[in-house]
Amino acid sequence: MSPTDRRLHVLQQHLSQGPSSVFESVGLQPTSAEPSVWSHVPQAPPDAILGITEAFKADNDSKKLNLGVGAYRTEEGKPLVLPSVKKAEQKVVNDPNANKEYLGIAGNPDFCKLSAKLAFGANSRALKEGRAATVQSLSGTGSLRVGAQFLALHYPLKLIYIPSPTWANHNKIFPLAGIQIRNYRYYKPSTRGLDYEGMCEDLSSAPQGSVVLLHACAHNPTGVDPTPDEWQGILKVVQQRHLLPFFDSAYQGFASGDLEKDATAVRMFTDAGVELLLSQSYAKNMGLYGERIGSLTVVTSDPSTTKKVDSQLKAVIRPMYSNPPRHGAAIVTAILSDPELYGQWKVELKGMADRIITMREKLHAALKEVGAPGSWDHIISQIGMFSYTGLTKVHLLCEEVPHIRCVQEYSVLRCSLGVCMNLEITASPPTYHVTFIQRRYKDGAHTGSGAAYDQEVPHIYDHGWSDQHGRSVRLKLQVSCRSHERCC
């Protein structure tokens, strides 16, 4: 018997004894049943968005619709893998030189350069002068987390102004890094648009040097973006108060279908010589949700400072997750570096954006056709995959109405459905939602303000009604409304 066979034979004998025999052979006894050292840990509240998704998956109704999902879906409600992404992935897999070694702390260097170029433009002075430090990150959330930790360690003022409302995770990421949050006005319920005056007033009164979080385009969750002229006014306030912008760019190209247009604000501020941070994500515009691929860029005033910043970003990443995954970065790099794939991706990207814009137009037209009271022009003036409809919890959650019934009590979630919904889903066909909106207004639930969010309603609601063709429609939503806490 060879030495290898003998070792395998001994190992097999040990394993055949069973767990209890092995414990006894070395004199060990199982630990007696005692309370866990973690028994004091409280149950965390479920995530509002993910909780809705789980409830949606568990519902077997063929007509179910999830208006809170933050991902693109086909007409059949299925996830979409872009053809350009499939080609790029095949190219990566077939590369004979590919391996599974660790990336460097900052990630794939080609990916970092191409990401910065996509955001700032090929002719960016900041890039040409070496004033931008870019690191690969775990999608947008990861880049925000790394940026927050970097600010906490190296920026003197631990204070960030974020819009009200904003993406829910913004409210969690920065406090975890030890940065205080304050809100600035952003959404104006009376116009269902931007509160430009309130925003500028709040930022003008912010302590000098404060960090300000800005959505680069397709504001989540309102769908309300500043105009180019309003961005100029915001830039002026930032310069006057010496504020430090932190741009969150999760939808470049996905908002308008134009990569250049959606980068307007970021490039405007950079070209004006403003130092800033930029978070990028490829979840939406390339559909790489599960690959967790994004980047963080810090723009400084000179190359020597950039080198130091780059070293400190790596120092933040190293103990946090050591280095990022390579597969998603390889896919993005393949697309951005190949003219043919890049061109194909731009066409597909515009197709997704145009479909969402078309759905807004269909929903708007259908609302006018059925004579829904009031103006619905905000549906087409807002942009991106989310919309603040102007509906309140009174419109959606009025239990006296026969076609809405509460079917199951559930844990409290912070969610304001009926105010924010995913427009990518809502128009297949739009009459389902239009009929409901029209009836809610005609049932006398219209308040006119679109701003009632004071009471929590911790339930899953089952919305059932018939469209204009008599077809039965059901929409199951897990909701709990609370002031200033949004699900989308």
Side-chain angles (χ1 to χ4, degrees), residues 421-450:
M421 67 179 178
N422 186 336
L423 262 295
E424 184 274 315
I425 293 248
T426 58
S428 296
T431 48
Y432 290 176
H433 303 273
V434 170
T435 302
F436 175 67
I437 290 170
Q438 181 201 30
R439 290 186 180 183
R440 293 309 320 116
Y441 273 81
K442 289 186 176 181
D443 284 331
H446 179 46
T447 64
S449 67

Side-chain angles (χ1 to χ4, degrees), residues 153-166:
L153 291 171
H154 301 288
Y155 195 66
L157 187 56
K158 319 302 184 196
L159 175 64
I160 186 168
Y161 277 74
I162 64 176
S164 178
T166 191

Side-chain angles (χ1 to χ4, degrees), residues 164-165 185-198 222 224 373-379 381-382 388-392 419 441 446-453 486:
S164 178
R185 283 169 283 177
Y186 190 86
Y187 178 72
K188 195 169 187 177
S190 61
T191 64
R192 294 160 194 162
L194 179 68
D195 188 352
Y196 175 69
E197 293 77 14
T222 68
V224 175
S375 171
W376 296 92
D377 290 346
H378 58 284
I379 296 294
S381 65
Q382 295 171 3
Y388 261 31
T389 63
L391 297 174
T392 72
V419 180
Y441 273 81
H446 179 46
T447 64
S449 67
Y453 313 113
R486 310 291 195 257

Side-chain angles (χ1 to χ4, degrees), residues 51-61 64 408 460 476:
I52 293 170
T53 300
E54 290 305 312
F56 175 77
K57 290 178 179 178
D59 190 344
N60 295 322
D61 195 303
K64 63 183 179 180
Q408 177 183 354
I460 290 181
K476 196 169 186 178

Side-chain angles (χ1 to χ4, degrees), residues 31 38 64 147 172 205 212 243 258 440 456 464 474 486:
T31 304
W38 309 114
K64 63 183 179 180
K172 301 174 183 178
S205 63
V212 55
L243 305 179
D258 186 334
R440 293 309 320 116
E456 289 192 355
R474 196 167 137 228
R486 310 291 195 257

Side-chain angles (χ1 to χ4, degrees), residues 72 80-85 87 118 252-260 284-286 335-336 338-357:
Y72 186 85
L80 173 68
V81 180
L82 298 177
S84 59
V85 168
K87 286 184 180 179
L118 184 71
Q252 185 181 354
F254 193 82
S256 69
D258 186 334
L259 288 163
E260 309 303 312
K284 304 299 190 299
N285 58 15
M286 285 193 183
I335 291 175
L336 297 184
D338 185 316
E340 183 178 343
L341 283 176
Y342 181 68
Q344 181 180 346
W345 170 60
K346 288 204 300 181
V347 171
E348 294 164 357
L349 180 58
K350 190 175 190 308
M352 290 192 291
D354 284 351
R355 177 167 174 257
I356 296 173
I357 292 170

